[in-house]
Amino acid sequence: MANKLNSLAHTKWLCKYHIVFIPKYRRKAIFNQYRRDLRDYIRLLCKYKGVEIIEGHMMPDHVHLLVSILPKLSVSQFMGYLKGKSALIALMMFDRHANLKYKYGNRHFWAKGYYVSTVGLNESTIKKYIRDQEKHDRAMYKLTSVEYSDPFKGK
């Protein structure tokens, strides 16, 4: 079997999930220093819960994670923990980056919901999707962007 089975005392398990979550109002807030800080905080929180990040990518307006979660921890518990502790992370980020206080006056950084799907045996496909999403989004933006001509200059 290509996928590595994990084990606890009386359990063999393979629980992998593709999770996507967004900042409040889907603001394009994850870039430069914020991106590095969030990445480090999310890695640290996952390490504390024993969650392995297999693949991850931060887009300007959402976060993709491919994670392996212990079977004793449900996805909703993990996301509640991650977003709950992210409130503390957001407070630390607000202290470090003062201009965020004006965008997020109520100090809520993440939106309420999230997307999750089980991975199963499609792990390589999902890894490739997460890795190549930014390239795909840029290519689609180039295809859909329309350059308008000046109506006052004729053509």
Side-chain angles (χ1 to χ4, degrees), residues 58-76:
M58 292 194 167
M59 300 291 288
D61 62 346
H62 62 281
V63 177
H64 281 277
L65 291 176
L66 176 59
V67 293
S68 177
I69 299 177
L70 294 158
K72 64 183 181 181
L73 182 67
S74 73
V75 178
S76 62

Side-chain angles (χ1 to χ4, degrees), residues 112-123:
K112 288 184 181 178
Y114 59 91
Y115 166 83
V116 64
S117 69
T118 55
V119 172
L121 300 176
N122 300 332
E123 181 179 346

Side-chain angles (χ1 to χ4, degrees), residues 29-82:
I30 305 171
F31 56 90
N32 298 336
Q33 185 62 36
Y34 311 129
R35 187 180 201 160
R36 285 187 292 273
D37 288 347
L38 276 173
R39 181 192 65 209
D40 294 343
Y41 290 136
I42 288 174
R43 279 183 183 166
L44 186 66
L45 292 174
C46 288
K47 183 179 167 189
Y48 286 158
K49 278 293 185 182
V51 173
E52 178 190 357
I53 299 175
I54 299 166
E55 191 78 36
H57 190 71
M58 292 194 167
M59 300 291 288
D61 62 346
H62 62 281
V63 177
H64 281 277
L65 291 176
L66 176 59
V67 293
S68 177
I69 299 177
L70 294 158
K72 64 183 181 181
L73 182 67
S74 73
V75 178
S76 62
Q77 285 175 327
F78 170 67
M79 287 307 293
Y81 166 79
L82 189 65

Side-chain angles (χ1 to χ4, degrees), residues 19-32:
I19 300 173
V20 181
F21 52 103
I22 62 172
K24 191 106 178 184
Y25 309 117
R26 198 147 182 151
R27 287 193 172 120
K28 295 186 185 306
I30 305 171
F31 56 90
N32 298 336

Side-chain angles (χ1 to χ4, degrees), residues 6 20 44 96 146:
N6 299 306
V20 181
L44 186 66
R96 186 180 283 179
V146 178

Side-chain angles (χ1 to χ4, degrees), residues 37-38 41-42 44-45 48 79-97 100-101 106-110:
D37 288 347
L38 276 173
Y41 290 136
I42 288 174
L44 186 66
L45 292 174
Y48 286 158
M79 287 307 293
Y81 166 79
L82 189 65
K83 287 186 175 186
K85 294 298 180 187
S86 292
L88 296 174
I89 290 168
L91 289 174
M92 288 188 272
M93 283 181 59
F94 290 143
D95 290 340
R96 186 180 283 179
H97 308 288
L100 283 179
K101 289 179 185 176
N106 58 2
R107 301 244 174 167
H108 293 287
F109 190 77
W110 301 115

